[in-house]
Amino acid sequence: MSKTTIPTGGITADAINGTLIADDAINSEHFTDGSIDTAHIADNQVTAAKATGIGGLVRTGGSSSGTDASTVSIDDVMSSTYKTYRIIGSFETTTDAYLEILYRTGGSSGSDYTGSNYRNTWHAHWSSSGDSGTVDSGDWGSASWKPMSASINSDGDDDHRVMLDAIVWQGHANKLYWKSNVASLNGDKSKIYNFENVGWLVGTGTYTGFTFKFNSGNIDSHTVSIYGIVDS
């Protein structure tokens, strides 16, 4: 005969086994804080979505493709949620060229900001089989963020990648500042370059994305990720 009410004292220790507990019936409110140890988490069960924010980086978007494209635009990757962003990517060219970046406005239906209000300065280290040196240059009225200086023989080779690591900071009134590092070969593979670039975008606006392109030719293949940096 079944019973609908059993006093707690009438249940012996370990009397309730798995067959008497409905599937998906125990809520986390019944777990003691700190009671789930590593032995009870199966291998490969903590996915990227579950680890978002760990280590201070949250991936807000990105792109990867092996198909030629004149530009790569990524929208809805910047917002008021984060003040600082990190961009990590690599881009292969179809011809000898240097990398350019444009900020975008307008969210998911974004458009490039192309005004001549990008301020750039560079410090480049280079070396070859028989020489090495440094080059300093700048551009105070550019129509793009240029992680690579356009004033010297610094183009990305058409069968080697341009590798980018950059930090973007949204300052007061949405003013944008950046600092980037790029590694590349020059066109005839005679030199390897390391570019240190800093700059800022004059004017204010709500910037929500990025466009990546080369000053000549197409992007042959690419992979790029944008991360928001957690303040605390």
Side-chain angles (χ1 to χ4, degrees), residues 207-228:
Y207 303 99
T208 54
F210 303 92
T211 287
F212 302 89
K213 66 175 186 174
F214 286 100
N215 69 302
S216 178
N218 286 345
I219 297 175
D220 188 34
S221 64
H222 73 278
T223 180
V224 59
S225 291
I226 295 96
Y227 301 90

Side-chain angles (χ1 to χ4, degrees), residues 2-204:
S2 64
K3 293 183 178 181
T4 58
T5 303
I6 300 175
T8 303
I11 304 174
T12 60
D14 300 323
I16 304 299
N17 58 35
T19 63
L20 300 176
I21 302 174
D23 293 342
D24 302 320
I26 299 179
N27 195 283
S28 61
E29 68 184 49
H30 299 291
F31 299 155
T32 302
D33 290 349
S35 64
I36 300 177
D37 53 32
T38 55
H40 291 86
I41 302 175
D43 292 343
N44 301 317
Q45 294 307 300
V46 180
T47 64
K50 301 299 184 184
T52 296
I54 294 177
L57 294 177
V58 178
R59 190 176 188 272
T60 59
S63 176
S64 182
S65 176
T67 302
D68 277 13
S70 59
T71 63
V72 173
S73 295
I74 306 174
D75 289 313
D76 280 337
V77 291
M78 298 176 68
S79 68
S80 59
T81 302
Y82 308 103
K83 287 296 184 184
T84 310
Y85 292 84
R86 186 172 187 181
I87 306 170
I88 299 176
S90 64
F91 304 84
E92 187 175 354
T93 68
T94 58
T95 187
D96 298 334
Y98 58 82
L99 182 66
E100 296 183 86
I101 303 172
L102 296 170
Y103 289 104
R104 290 174 64 79
T105 61
S108 58
S109 57
S111 59
D112 296 337
Y113 179 81
T114 57
S116 298
N117 290 320
Y118 294 82
R119 309 293 193 242
N120 290 278
T121 186
W122 306 274
H123 179 68
H125 305 260
W126 61 268
S127 64
S128 65
S129 61
D131 202 358
S132 63
T134 61
V135 178
D136 299 300
S137 60
D139 187 341
W140 201 246
S142 177
S144 66
W145 166 7
K146 296 177 180 176
M148 306 165 68
S149 171
S151 64
I152 56 177
N153 186 21
S154 58
D155 44 353
D157 182 68
D158 61 359
D159 58 2
H160 288 78
R161 288 181 173 272
V162 171
M163 292 158 284
L164 170 71
D165 189 356
I167 295 291
V168 175
W169 182 68
Q170 297 185 98
H172 174 68
N174 291 330
K175 289 183 172 66
L176 292 179
Y177 305 83
W178 63 84
K179 179 179 181 181
S180 64
N181 185 274
V182 162
S184 71
L185 295 176
N186 73 330
D188 61 8
K189 306 180 185 67
S190 64
K191 295 178 181 179
I192 186 168
Y193 281 91
N194 175 51
F195 289 96
E196 299 171 358
N197 162 242
V198 296
W200 70 296
L201 180 59
V202 179
T204 61

